[in-house]
Amino acid sequence: MLRALNDRAALELLLSKGPLTRAQLGELTGLSKVTASQLVERLEERGLVARVGEQAGGRGPNAQMYAVVPSTAYVVGVEAGPQHVVAGVADITGKIVGRTDVSIGEGDDPVKVVHAAVVEAAAEAGAPIERIRRIVLGTPGLVDPKSGEITFAWDLPRWHRGLLTALREDLGRPVAFENDVNLAAIAEQHSGAAIGAKDFVLVWLDRGVGTAVVLGGRLHRGSVGAAGEIGYLPVSGTQVSRDATRRAKSGFRMLTDAAAVKTVAKSHGFKAAGAGDAIRAAIAAGTDGSPFLDELARRISLGVASVGLVLDPELVVLAGEIGQAGGADLAQRVQHEVAAIAVVSPRVVATEVSSEPVLNGAILTGLDAVREEVFGDTA
């Protein structure tokens, strides 16, 4: 057990600090030189680490430097949308080594689309399929925490129960689904505005609207995976749908999704191709853009305040096209408005993950699982 713990600690150090000598590993782990040397030899024999160079200096021969072998294992992250599927392959160090984008037709079989994306990305990465240890697929809608199945996807009506089993059989690899906004929160927690935050909420404002809830550093999914589906939050003055299929727009989403933002922007004189473009134009316009931005902040604050009053998080991150375009300007307005209408006043900030947060969150989720499998099996 002790040997396995030491090996795991060494592997984590090699990932986080880069190539190290045996002596450096000994110093960082608190192990003797002899024990550190034996540790490195074990990991070399297993093919987990390899010599990657020498460190000059000092008396005697140069010290050998060691690093984790990148090709030990691979993970694939997949982001599914209504028009295309993006797949990215990362080696065990976390470096993305392959990426592809596959278009989706209206009647395309999801299994064939995901299969094509995974195989193309793996080929670009030079990653043998048998070394892909995990495929994590981000999807809009509900993912059952117990079964791992998609139970409802707003933009993907052909994605349904049974798809998880079909993908596992087709690809012959472990496959997992996760809600796309939850994955964006994982990326934010790892390398964005939520680094170090134990309790935070990520509010996704885009074509769809949703939140991810992180409590005590862990995602809270709810009993059926519906925690954070704030788009359905009933808001006075908006339509409240009784559609059993949940495909009708209603509630908070009608106020804050991309289509709604474009409409309100146009009413203030900011006509643009996209919601993000309209917001950026309003910010650039200075005081002339303030009425539109203030109205948008009031709309967003209704959802943020509702979540805040239930969870009292320390931090709220605005993400998606709207949150990213609004930046600090919109975030500060929302923070001010929430403090004015509620007895909570969380810090509200804009996302700091500028590119493909869902895909990156999927890769990070896969890496956590695969490293646990590979590094944990060192006895």
Side-chain angles (χ1 to χ4, degrees):
M1 176 69 75
L2 182 59
R3 185 177 69 180
L5 291 172
N6 288 338
D7 289 356
R8 176 64 182 267
L11 288 164
E12 294 290 354
L13 284 168
L14 288 170
L15 282 176
S16 62
K17 297 186 177 295
L20 297 169
T21 65
R22 297 186 185 204
Q24 288 170 333
L25 276 172
E27 291 173 6
L28 291 168
T29 57
L31 300 174
S32 68
K33 291 182 179 180
V34 172
T35 303
S37 293
Q38 292 172 343
L39 177 154
V40 170
E41 288 172 5
R42 282 197 305 273
L43 297 179
E44 261 194 303
E45 289 174 1
R46 292 192 40 147
L48 295 177
V49 305
R51 302 177 192 187
V52 294
E54 297 180 345
Q55 185 182 63
R59 298 178 180 178
N62 294 339
Q64 298 290 328
M65 301 196 74
Y66 297 85
V68 173
V69 176
S71 60
T72 298
Y74 296 90
V75 302
V76 179
V78 180
E79 178 180 359
Q83 297 176 328
H84 63 114
V85 164
V86 179
V89 178
D91 61 35
I92 201 166
T93 70
K95 180 181 179 181
I96 296 177
V97 290
R99 184 186 181 283
T100 192
D101 190 323
V102 176
S103 298
I104 298 178
E106 187 173 342
D108 286 352
D109 178 5
V111 174
K112 292 181 179 179
V113 173
V114 174
H115 179 101
V118 170
V119 170
E120 287 180 19
E124 182 181 303
I129 293 295
E130 61 272 14
R131 287 204 178 181
I132 294 175
R133 299 286 292 261
R134 187 66 54 100
I135 299 166
V136 178
L137 199 150
T139 173
L142 305 186
V143 177
D144 188 329
K146 299 179 181 68
S147 68
E149 290 276 11
I150 295 174
T151 58
F152 170 74
W154 174 276
D155 284 328
L156 301 168
R158 291 178 61 85
W159 297 58
H160 48 70
R161 286 188 184 275
L163 181 56
L164 181 61
T165 300
L167 284 171
R168 287 172 175 171
E169 291 176 353
D170 177 78
L171 294 165
R173 303 282 88 197
V175 180
F177 286 126
E178 181 58 90
N179 174 266
D180 54 357
V181 181
N182 284 347
L183 293 176
I186 288 171
E188 204 74 51
Q189 191 177 30
H190 180 267
S191 56
I195 293 175
K198 292 296 184 182
D199 299 332
F200 76 94
V201 171
L202 181 137
V203 180
W204 184 266
L205 302 163
D206 209 297
R207 293 178 63 258
V209 175
T211 63
V213 178
V214 176
L215 300 174
R218 299 173 64 87
L219 279 171
H220 176 70
R221 296 176 176 86
S223 62
V224 297
E229 290 294 333
I230 196 175
Y232 296 99
L233 179 73
V235 177
S236 177
T238 66
Q239 173 185 335
V240 177
S241 173
R242 295 182 179 274
D243 179 8
T245 67
R246 294 168 286 188
R247 295 198 180 280
K249 288 174 61 173
S250 68
F252 184 61
R253 179 176 180 177
M254 294 187 70
L255 293 177
T256 54
D257 70 3
V261 172
K262 282 180 64 178
T263 299
V264 71
K266 185 177 179 181
S267 72
H268 284 277
F270 294 96
K271 185 178 180 181
D277 295 328
I279 293 169
R280 283 186 285 270
I283 292 172
T287 55
D288 290 340
S290 289
F292 162 50
L293 295 172
D294 286 342
E295 180 174 347
L296 179 57
R298 284 193 292 270
R299 291 176 172 225
I300 295 171
S301 70
L302 295 175
V304 173
S306 297
V307 173
L309 287 166
V310 175
L311 300 175
D312 192 15
E314 61 184 287
L315 176 70
V316 173
V317 181
L318 303 184
E321 178 190 13
I322 293 162
Q324 189 172 60
D329 193 310
L330 180 61
Q332 289 169 5
R333 292 169 193 263
V334 172
Q335 178 172 313
H336 175 79
E337 189 65 22
V338 170
I341 66 174
V343 293
V344 293
S345 53
R347 186 165 61 94
V348 181
V349 300
T351 176
E352 293 179 7
V353 179
S354 60
S355 177
E356 299 185 313
V358 176
L359 182 66
N360 285 317
I363 289 171
L364 288 167
T365 300
L367 282 172
D368 280 348
V370 169
R371 287 173 179 170
E372 186 66 32
E373 291 171 1
V374 176
F375 295 169
D377 184 22
T378 58

